[in-house]
Amino acid sequence: MGYLGNHLATVVTGVFAATLTGLWPYFVNFAPLLNFVFVICVPITWFLTFTCWISQKSTDYMHKSETYVSHNEKKSLNNLQTTQIYTSDGKQISPTQIKVAQNELSVELNKLKETVKLKDSQIERLNQEISNLQTLVQIESLKTELANLKMLASESKTKDK
């Protein structure tokens, strides 16, 4: 938005209409045809000025939420968007709940690491996924994967005995 608040077309047309209106009394005496031109042009230019002004007001009104939001309001909206995390079913979870789930999964993975001899790359991948958790859906899928690994560990223990 510029200095004129996107009303440049309104200002230019208004200046032209005012100039024609101001010049009209001086050119009336020269020729009747010129008087006719001014009679036609002056109302048309004022109508165009009004039309430009109304259309810009309408555009400003329709896009008010985008153009009139202050910088501080934009910052606070961005902060709200980054701190509030929602699950797939629309429930809000806090970052502390995610941290708790990450810690629980890390503890379970470390316990599983001791009982099952997994490849280091798989364990590293799971640790990376745990640190990148952001939704409850991801937490539940990792819990399911850990449960499957526990089942494999218990099956391998029973086969060894």
Side-chain angles (χ1 to χ4, degrees), residues 12-78:
V12 168
T13 311
V15 167
F16 183 62
T19 304
L20 284 178
T21 304
L23 291 176
W24 190 3
Y26 296 110
F27 288 104
V28 170
N29 298 329
F30 286 119
L33 183 62
L34 202 54
N35 187 29
F36 178 73
V37 170
F38 274 98
V39 166
I40 298 288
C41 291
V42 169
I44 289 173
T45 54
W46 282 115
F47 175 75
L48 287 174
T49 303
F50 176 74
T51 305
C52 289
W53 179 75
I54 280 294
S55 65
Q56 187 59 50
K57 284 294 184 182
S58 172
T59 302
D60 290 345
Y61 178 77
M62 293 304 292
H63 298 284
K64 184 188 316 181
S65 62
E66 297 170 7
T67 57
Y68 292 114
V69 175
S70 71
H71 182 66
N72 290 334
E73 290 173 354
K74 284 181 185 177
K75 282 174 118 176
S76 65
L77 284 174
N78 287 339

Side-chain angles (χ1 to χ4, degrees), residues 122-137:
Q122 287 177 322
I123 292 173
E124 186 60 37
R125 182 186 59 82
L126 286 175
N127 277 328
Q128 185 65 31
E129 285 185 25
I130 288 170
S131 65
N132 291 333
L133 286 178
Q134 292 187 359
T135 64
L136 285 179
V137 175

